[in-house]
Amino acid sequence: MASVLSYESLVHAVAGAVGSVTAMTVFFPLDTARLRLQVDEKRKSKTTHMVLLEIIKEEGLLAPYRGWFPVISSLCCSNFVYFYTFNSLKAVWVKGQRSTTGKDLVVGFVAGVVNVLLTTPLWVVNTRLKLQGAKFRNEDIVPTNYKGIIDAFHQIIRDEGILALWNGTFPSLLLVFNPAIQFMFYEGLKRQLLKKRMKLSSLDVFIIGAISKAIATTVTYPMQTVQSILRFGHHRLNPENRTLGSLRNVLYLLHQRVKRFGIMGLYKGLEAKLLQTVLTAALMFLVYEKLTAATFTVMGLKNVRKR
């Protein structure tokens, strides 16, 4: 119990939250472009910079930062939960011993599931607020009128029921495999490089980290697209099953996407997502590692769990 409530876990949680908020703020417009490309199927522009230029021209200079506060709030809570759960479970399970790849994968998966179940309502609300007021090309999308985070929660519960706050939970749980895929490719690439040299440079680590994240994102991107559509909640779904996030609706949305736009329709917005994911992850972990190390130094504690 002491390990779960330790200052060390709290430091990791706060550092992870601050790192993610910093990185997302810097690269927020890329996420805006990605979300528009995923949700607004009839948008003709295919590239990130063209979508951002359209948004600025039609909706104003600050439009790429629409919904910044709810996204940052959700991201802060999400990363706090993930880092705290991950480090607490790791402390309980490892208990001072050297961690293994298998243990890291299991702990990461469990932390991801806990994070999804606790924070999905926040992501549903921030997805809708981020898209509110957008000029869509798809006439099937019903506009919303939320005054803020609290009002969005109130209207969703009143009009759609409390379970609507967990729209997209099923694909979100499947996306917990994203970091597992990333870790698998990262370790494989690292082993291949170590066969040719004694030690990896910082550039080596950055490149294989970027490649592994790009592969994980590409593999799981169709599920991320479905997740965004379900969270937005203003598309026509399978009339035989209105349970948002169910396996049937996930398969239905995937099928409809491919039917209308071909297999590449599943990857609309991938360019923006890859740019945002790789750059944001790199900056997040930089801030996270520096802040964690500085905090432990100030507190006079030893960071016993090196990654």
Side-chain angles (χ1 to χ4, degrees):
M1 186 66 180
S3 297
V4 175
L5 300 176
S6 68
Y7 282 113
E8 186 183 348
S9 294
L10 183 61
V11 169
H12 282 287
V14 172
V18 172
S20 64
V21 166
T22 302
M24 178 55 84
T25 298
V26 172
F27 299 112
F28 193 82
L30 295 177
D31 195 55
T32 297
R34 181 270 309 174
L35 189 58
R36 292 293 182 91
L37 285 166
Q38 284 182 325
V39 173
D40 194 2
E41 300 100 331
K42 294 187 178 181
R43 185 175 289 275
K44 294 181 179 179
S45 296
K46 307 294 184 182
T47 60
T48 304
H49 73 280
M50 286 302 297
V51 171
L52 286 175
L53 286 175
E54 279 184 356
I55 293 172
I56 292 172
K57 182 180 178 180
E58 296 175 359
E59 304 170 34
L61 189 61
L62 296 179
Y65 277 90
R66 179 184 289 118
W68 173 83
F69 182 74
V71 170
I72 291 301
S73 301
S74 301
L75 191 66
C76 184
C77 294
S78 179
N79 277 274
F80 184 91
V81 170
Y82 184 88
F83 277 91
Y84 193 94
T85 305
F86 181 88
N87 285 280
S88 296
L89 291 175
K90 195 171 182 181
V92 171
W93 195 2
V94 176
K95 295 181 179 178
Q97 301 175 359
R98 181 178 290 275
S99 183
T100 64
T101 300
K103 288 182 178 180
D104 282 341
L105 286 173
V106 172
V107 170
F109 181 83
V110 174
V113 170
V114 171
N115 180 41
V116 166
L117 295 177
L118 290 179
T119 64
T120 290
L122 290 172
W123 289 110
V124 168
V125 167
N126 88 56
T127 297
R128 298 197 182 188
L129 288 173
K130 192 171 182 180
L131 291 169
Q132 183 166 276
K135 295 183 182 299
F136 293 111
R137 306 302 195 269
N138 188 351
E139 61 274 7
D140 290 339
I141 296 177
V142 181
T144 58
N145 185 27
Y146 304 129
K147 298 176 182 178
I149 296 176
I150 302 301
D151 184 56
F153 271 110
H154 173 71
Q155 286 196 43
I156 292 170
I157 294 172
R158 183 193 65 195
D159 299 336
E160 304 170 49
I162 193 167
L163 292 180
L165 292 173
W166 276 269
N167 286 353
T169 297
F170 185 78
S172 296
L173 289 173
L174 292 180
L175 285 171
V176 171
F177 286 105
N178 183 293
I181 295 171
Q182 177 189 1
F183 191 82
M184 177 182 68
F185 277 99
Y186 179 83
E187 288 299 309
L189 291 169
K190 185 166 70 174
R191 282 192 293 270
Q192 291 299 316
L193 285 177
L194 287 174
K195 289 179 180 179
K196 302 176 182 179
R197 61 194 75 176
M198 293 293 294
K199 185 179 179 181
L200 299 182
S201 67
S202 298
L203 181 61
D204 290 331
V205 174
F206 179 84
I207 290 175
I208 63 176
I211 291 173
S212 60
K213 186 63 177 177
I215 293 172
T217 299
T218 302
V219 170
T220 59
Y221 191 76
M223 292 306 301
Q224 295 181 42
T225 298
V226 171
Q227 178 192 58
S228 295
I229 293 172
L230 288 172
R231 282 176 173 173
F232 187 44
H234 292 275
H235 282 71
R236 294 176 181 174
L237 295 175
N238 188 348
E240 297 179 359
N241 186 359
R242 296 291 299 177
T243 307
L244 294 177
S246 69
L247 177 59
R248 183 179 296 181
N249 265 324
V250 168
L251 295 176
Y252 174 79
L253 287 171
L254 288 172
H255 173 72
Q256 289 298 308
R257 195 92 173 180
V258 172
K259 184 178 178 181
R260 294 176 65 185
F261 306 106
I263 193 68
M264 295 310 296
L266 297 175
Y267 290 90
K268 285 191 68 176
L270 178 60
E271 176 197 2
K273 182 62 177 179
L274 286 175
L275 279 172
Q276 183 245 331
T277 297
V278 173
L279 295 175
T280 301
L283 182 57
M284 183 197 75
F285 279 109
L286 176 63
V287 175
Y288 164 69
E289 294 291 351
K290 295 293 185 182
L291 187 57
T292 301
T295 304
F296 278 118
T297 300
V298 171
M299 296 176 64
L301 297 174
K302 185 180 179 182
N303 187 5
V304 296
R305 291 200 293 281
K306 299 287 184 184
R307 285 179 177 77

